[in-house]
Amino acid sequence: MSLGFWSFGSGSSGNSYLIQTEDTSVLVDAGCSGKRIFTGLAERGLKPSDLDAVLITHEHEDHVRGLGMLIKRAPGLTVKATRGTMSRIMPRLGFVPEEDSPRANAETVTVGEAFDVGSLRVRPFRLEHDAAEPCGYSFFSGGRMISVVTDTGRVTDEMILAVKESDLLVLEANYERNILLMGRYPYSLKMRILSDYGHVSNEDAAAVLAKVLRSREKDNMPVFALAHLSKENNTPEMARMTVSNILYEEGFREDRDFALKVFKRDEFGEYVRL
């Protein structure tokens, strides 16, 4: 059974990703506008009611902006998140994470405990971000694996262990450090982004991918997708160049050891089928 991935948008304007098998469709985050999410689903021949679940990584606006509209179009939609995240998003949307919810089937997940959604096996893992209880997700089907790691100030050894065998690894490359430091952001915002609970730079993303390549046991070539790029402090071209150059210095060659993609902030990405 094949495993597919499509980015509806990735960045501070909104984040939402579609994960698919032949019989299961799941969204990771619903931070794009409702219109954009509906358009993306329609491109794949789906209606909101066809979704088997929406998995939320954390409660920040660019990850939940379109969730209310999505639920209005698909009452009873299953929404999954950690208990901490759920406690933040449910009251704001006017429903509670219990079975008496009139608008959504809200279910909590636990970091490290796998669960099934249709033909997908899903495993949440801990992220380090300034949110209530953020998590990333790995998806398994037919011997293939996709992992989504965005909105984390650092990538720990625990995270690398969780995602290193991914056939597609979606990894945050939020900013180019020198551009951030010299840019117009207020000092306090720069320090938040640079902190262990902020975001991952291009340089740090490359270091993470080098660790992944050194520790992988699978012998197939992984696909790396850089995501959640900053509008102010990064560009797709810069993210690709920095990451590719650092990996080259580490002895890894694009199209020999890995494939590299960049998901743009406000465009639908290339559909990746594994």
Side-chain angles (χ1 to χ4, degrees):
M1 181 172 288
S2 66
L3 189 55
F5 181 97
W6 198 24
S7 171
F8 290 1
S10 184
S12 56
S13 299
N15 301 270
S16 189
Y17 310 114
L18 179 67
I19 313 289
Q20 285 188 296
T21 66
E22 282 83 354
D23 60 5
T24 302
S25 298
V26 169
L27 276 189
V28 177
D29 288 332
C32 299
S33 68
K35 180 179 180 181
R36 187 171 189 81
I37 292 172
F38 302 148
T39 299
L41 291 174
E43 287 288 326
R44 297 299 304 167
L46 298 171
K47 304 183 299 295
S49 58
D50 293 325
L51 290 171
D52 294 279
V54 179
L55 278 55
I56 303 298
T57 60
H58 65 292
E59 71 272 15
H60 289 169
E61 185 70 13
D62 57 328
H63 294 261
V64 298
R65 183 178 291 115
L67 183 57
M69 186 64 69
L70 192 58
I71 291 168
K72 286 182 180 179
R73 288 282 188 94
L77 179 66
T78 296
V79 178
K80 293 177 177 284
T82 62
R83 187 171 299 279
T85 298
M86 196 71 80
S87 70
R88 299 295 178 90
I89 65 174
M90 293 299 109
R92 185 174 66 181
L93 293 173
F95 52 82
V96 296
E98 302 295 344
E99 62 275 10
D100 61 351
S101 166
R103 296 178 60 191
N105 178 23
E107 300 178 359
T108 58
V109 303
T110 301
V111 165
E113 294 185 8
F115 58 89
D116 294 322
V117 179
S119 59
L120 281 169
R121 186 73 166 166
V122 186
R123 187 176 64 210
F125 52 88
R126 191 181 317 280
L127 297 179
E128 302 287 341
H129 195 50
D130 54 356
E133 192 183 355
C135 74
Y137 296 98
S138 290
F139 300 86
F140 305 84
S141 181
R144 298 292 189 175
M145 176 181 178
I146 294 174
S147 296
V148 179
V149 186
T150 66
D151 290 76
T152 187
R154 61 195 179 106
V155 178
T156 64
D157 289 342
E158 177 185 351
M159 294 179 209
I160 290 175
L161 182 64
V163 307
K164 67 177 185 174
E165 303 300 339
S166 300
D167 299 283
L168 170 63
L169 173 55
V170 180
L171 177 65
E172 178 176 61
N174 182 253
Y175 62 93
E176 185 78 11
R177 184 179 178 87
N178 288 336
I179 294 179
L180 173 65
L181 290 173
M182 298 299 292
R184 63 182 182 177
Y185 277 7
Y187 177 79
S188 59
L189 179 55
K190 292 178 181 179
M191 292 302 101
R192 172 191 173 260
I193 293 170
L194 289 163
S195 77
D196 284 349
Y197 298 95
H199 291 280
V200 172
S201 69
N202 293 337
E203 298 89 340
D204 289 340
V208 168
L209 295 177
K211 286 184 179 179
V212 166
L213 287 169
R214 284 193 290 265
S215 61
R216 279 176 64 85
E217 296 179 7
K218 283 185 177 179
D219 57 7
N220 64 319
M221 185 173 70
V223 179
F224 297 146
L226 307 180
H228 209 297
L229 275 64
S230 167
K231 179 180 179 180
E232 295 284 339
N233 304 303
N234 210 353
T235 67
E237 297 76 17
M238 187 171 299
R240 169 180 283 279
M241 181 178 66
T242 297
V243 170
S244 183
N245 286 348
I246 291 175
L247 287 176
Y248 186 88
E249 292 171 359
E250 293 288 331
F252 300 109
R253 305 292 185 267
E254 187 175 352
D255 298 326
R256 185 194 72 184
D257 302 306
F258 63 93
L260 187 62
K261 301 180 182 297
V262 182
F263 293 144
K264 297 183 179 180
R265 300 174 61 258
D266 52 2
E267 296 181 16
F268 291 107
E270 172 190 351
Y271 190 80
V272 180
R273 186 183 299 278
L274 301 172

